[in-house]
Amino acid sequence: MVVLIIEDEVDLATTVEYNLKSEGFQVRLAHSGRQGLAAATTDPLPDVIVLDLMLPDLSGTEICRRIRDQERTREIPVIMCTAKGEEIDRVVGFEVGADDYIVKPFSVRELVLRIRALLRRVHRVEGEPSLIRFGRLKIDRDAHRAWVDDAEIGLTALEFRLLHAFMSRKGRVQTRDALLSDVWGIEAEVTTRTVDTHVKRLREKLGDAGAYIETLRGVGYRFKDQPEEASA
Ligand code: CA
């Protein structure tokens, strides 16, 4: 999960960055509005944006409007940081389009809770069901369980996250680095070889369904787009 922080108070931004990283988020910092807008459209797109209302060049409300105006960034949830007494109603209402707000000074713990709540809400709105089926494979996202041909397979928490990361991006190339940051978290002290080891183990546990995970030599992996391809 990538969090973009648009905040001109460098000390505050750095503190928030440090804490979010230790919670497993990837963090991108921008210290001005224009930098922030550029960072909002940079791949990989942020999953959530923490946006300061008072910035030196562009106001947070203007940035939020532009984020909502652009097709690519329209759906990214925004948490607005406001100082006490600023116009919270206007910020959070549809006029500007922020999804939530937090009043300064805030505890980083509270910010993390709000980010997680927002991400949960957004994903629920997107309507991804808890049970996901793909050919012979079935997983329950909430219960962290997986089945092949209705026989449950015992996965570790990490293997489950890995499988879920694959299944949520079917047909798309997944580099080892991307998997490292998504599944292990950016701070994890593991190498890309660890990714290979775990993918190998996951494949073995999946048996025939392990063929859904393709190796792209020198690049990474790809989960098949259609299950039928696996039986060939
Ligand atoms: Ca500010």
Side-chain angles (χ1 to χ4, degrees):
M1 289 289 171
V2 180
V3 181
L4 167 61
I5 301 166
I6 308 176
E7 168 64 71
D8 60 313
E9 287 168 55
V10 178
D11 288 353
L12 174 61
T14 308
T15 306
V16 172
E17 177 189 31
Y18 175 83
N19 283 279
L20 289 181
K21 278 186 173 175
S22 69
E23 295 279 335
F25 292 101
Q26 257 183 285
V27 178
R28 197 178 295 161
L29 284 187
H31 294 306
S32 74
R34 286 185 202 287
Q35 256 184 37
L37 277 174
T41 51
T42 303
D43 282 314
L45 290 179
D47 296 285
V48 61
I49 298 173
V50 179
L51 174 61
D52 185 24
L53 185 59
M54 298 295 284
L55 291 161
D57 52 350
L58 294 167
S59 71
T61 52
E62 179 58 28
I63 293 168
C64 199
R65 271 197 205 96
R66 293 198 196 179
I67 287 168
R68 292 289 172 255
D69 280 347
Q70 292 192 54
E71 183 76 40
R72 292 188 74 214
T73 54
R74 183 165 296 156
E75 307 293 331
I76 301 174
V78 173
I79 300 179
M80 193 78 88
C81 299
T82 73
K84 229 175 233 160
E86 284 172 336
E87 305 162 77
I88 291 164
D89 293 352
R90 206 168 67 85
V91 162
V92 181
F94 63 81
E95 189 182 346
V96 175
D99 299 274
D100 198 1
Y101 72 96
I102 190 163
V103 177
K104 289 180 179 178
F106 54 81
S107 75
V108 180
R109 169 119 192 90
E110 187 188 351
L111 179 64
V112 170
L113 290 177
R114 279 172 188 271
I115 288 174
R116 289 201 194 285
L118 199 53
L119 289 171
R120 268 200 307 275
R121 219 156 76 204
V122 166
H123 288 296
R124 200 174 305 142
V125 169
E126 280 173 2
E128 191 182 356
S130 184
L131 272 180
I132 307 174
R133 288 170 194 280
F134 185 87
R136 299 166 61 181
L137 195 57
K138 180 176 77 178
I139 69 170
D140 186 330
R141 292 194 319 139
D142 293 340
H144 281 211
R145 296 168 71 187
W147 298 261
V148 175
D149 295 334
D150 290 324
E152 183 161 8
I153 44 175
L155 296 180
T156 64
L158 196 136
E159 287 163 351
F160 185 86
R161 286 209 301 277
L162 187 59
L163 178 59
H164 182 245
F166 276 128
M167 292 181 76
S168 37
R169 289 185 224 110
K170 291 194 288 276
R172 284 154 68 181
V173 174
Q174 310 237 39
T175 64
R176 292 178 175 81
D177 283 334
L179 286 168
L180 264 183
S181 64
D182 284 3
V183 177
W184 278 263
I186 194 106
E187 299 289 292
E189 289 182 4
V190 293
T191 65
T192 49
R193 191 173 298 172
T194 309
V195 177
D196 296 336
T197 309
H198 281 85
V199 171
K200 184 165 179 279
R201 202 171 301 156
L202 174 61
R203 268 205 192 111
E204 284 166 5
K205 286 191 178 179
L206 294 177
D208 290 346
Y212 294 148
I213 304 169
E214 304 172 295
T215 301
L216 304 174
R217 195 169 299 190
V219 180
Y221 298 94
R222 182 171 56 204
F223 199 86
K224 285 184 188 288
D225 205 19
Q226 298 293 331
E228 297 78 52
E229 297 169 30
S231 55

